Amino acid sequence: MLLQGKTAVVTGGTRGIGFAIAKLYLENGANVAIAGSRQETVDKALAQLPEYAGRVMGICPNLCDPEAVGAAFAAVKEKFGSLDILVNNAGVSSRASLYDYSAEEFTNVMNLNVNAVFVCCQAAARIMKPQGGGVIINTSSMVAKIGQPAGCAYPASKFAVNGLTISLARELARDQIRVNAVAPGVTRTDMVAALPEEMVARVSAGIPLGRVGEPLDVANAFLFLASEMGSYVTGAVLGVDGGSVA
Ligand code: NAD
């Protein structure tokens, strides 16, 4: 019950790592708003959490639209009384080669992975400051450190997330708002589950801990940073990658 009485927004909380974070926060006593891109997927996620019906809600703002995000976060505060934790988890990947990249695809990745993080941080901080503090946790990736052989927008966007995290940690510390990031390695979400087992085995063999991460491995880091256990941690980018970039 590390988050008893706290209220969290988890963007992209409808599946994968985001859903694991939302569930773990609920198990630890928090109220949770799951933010998704479509009402249908939000409803599907809520239907998987019937035991928490009174403590979980869904929101669907366009994460790049400051007005929509501001209104949705205000609705969360209205329902639960506060907004204490923001998890910026929603993200898109990209695999195109530089020669085939359209400017539109590059912009789409940057819009969700960076611009939306800025918009959500701003809207949350505006609520957290007068409350006396809060916690923001962004989602980076191990590829922010090592790049990837195709899809350059994705590592570039996660490098920008690290920059936002470090800067906002310094700017918001005076308002008692901690800002950190978690940088997962290869994690078994839908994308990884769709790969052939032999490919997953090959990837696993290259990871020092000998396996790909599970969503709960990553969610545990989000729990630590959101809770009082992380009370003196701000500006950190915490790798959760089985030693992949150690
Ligand atoms: P996923 O594709 O399973 O889930 C992404 C979530 O973001 C979904 O809930 C989706 O609905 C949501 N989303 C997508 N576009 C959105 C939009 N426009 N508005 C609102 N929500 C939107 O991904 P995942 O693997 O669980 O990844 C979650 C985060 O972790 C991402 O930021 C990703 O970059 C990062 N990450 C994942 C891995 C991995 O191996 N899975 C590794 C490193 C980093």
Side-chain angles (χ1 to χ4, degrees), residues 11-19 35-38 41 61-63 88-93 112-113 139-143 154 158 182-192 218 222:
T11 72
T14 57
R15 63 168 197 248
I17 293 169
F19 184 77
S37 49
R38 284 183 298 130
T41 52
N62 172 353
L63 297 177
N88 284 309
N89 162 81
V92 276
S93 184
L112 183 64
N113 292 10
T139 308
S140 180
S141 166
M142 71 172 181
V143 301
Y154 184 71
K158 295 302 188 179
V182 172
V186 182
T187 308
R188 197 186 298 274
T189 56
D190 291 355
M191 201 177 65
V192 174
V218 179
F222 280 88

Side-chain angles (χ1 to χ4, degrees), residues 92-138:
V92 276
S93 184
S94 166
R95 289 270 156 202
S97 136
L98 178 67
Y99 299 106
D100 302 324
Y101 239 114
S102 68
E104 192 189 4
E105 183 175 353
F106 192 92
T107 303
N108 283 345
V109 173
M110 296 308 261
N111 273 346
L112 183 64
N113 292 10
V114 185
N115 297 15
V117 173
F118 157 75
V119 167
C120 291
C121 286
Q122 185 182 57
R126 283 176 173 155
I127 295 176
M128 290 171 177
K129 181 181 177 179
Q131 276 178 192
V135 185
I136 295 172
I137 312 168
N138 298 324

Side-chain angles (χ1 to χ4, degrees), residues 33-240:
I34 290 178
S37 49
R38 284 183 298 130
Q39 192 61 48
E40 190 190 331
T41 52
V42 169
D43 289 345
K44 208 171 133 198
L46 296 179
Q48 293 173 64
L49 301 163
E51 65 272 46
Y52 301 111
R55 287 199 278 121
V56 62
M57 69 185 282
I59 53 175
C60 263
N62 172 353
L63 297 177
C64 293
D65 176 348
E67 264 186 42
V69 170
F73 287 10
V76 174
K77 182 177 159 75
E78 173 78 19
K79 181 168 169 72
F80 295 125
S82 63
L83 172 52
D84 310 291
I85 301 157
L86 166 66
V87 172
N88 284 309
N89 162 81
V92 276
S93 184
S94 166
R95 289 270 156 202
S97 136
L98 178 67
Y99 299 106
D100 302 324
Y101 239 114
S102 68
E104 192 189 4
E105 183 175 353
F106 192 92
T107 303
N108 283 345
V109 173
M110 296 308 261
N111 273 346
L112 183 64
N113 292 10
V114 185
N115 297 15
V117 173
F118 157 75
V119 167
C120 291
C121 286
Q122 185 182 57
R126 283 176 173 155
I127 295 176
M128 290 171 177
K129 181 181 177 179
Q131 276 178 192
V135 185
I136 295 172
I137 312 168
N138 298 324
T139 308
S140 180
S141 166
M142 71 172 181
V143 301
K145 276 196 182 164
I146 58 174
Q148 59 185 22
C152 60
Y154 184 71
S157 73
K158 295 302 188 179
F159 193 78
V161 166
N162 292 357
L164 263 176
T165 301
I166 296 163
S167 280
L168 293 182
R170 300 187 74 143
E171 182 175 346
L172 299 179
R174 69 180 73 94
D175 301 322
Q176 297 305 313
I177 300 171
R178 294 189 291 110
V179 187
N180 292 291
V182 172
V186 182
T187 308
R188 197 186 298 274
T189 56
D190 291 355
M191 201 177 65
V192 174
L195 298 174
E197 259 318 305
E198 63 269 21
M199 191 184 282
V200 178
R202 214 176 324 123
V203 171
S204 297
I207 298 172
L209 282 181
R211 64 177 178 89
V212 301
E214 298 299 327
L216 185 58
D217 291 317
V218 179
N220 281 329
F222 280 88
L223 176 61
F224 161 70
L225 290 169
S227 76
E228 275 305 297
M229 307 231 349
S231 57
Y232 199 54
V233 184
T234 195
V237 179
L238 177 57
V240 182

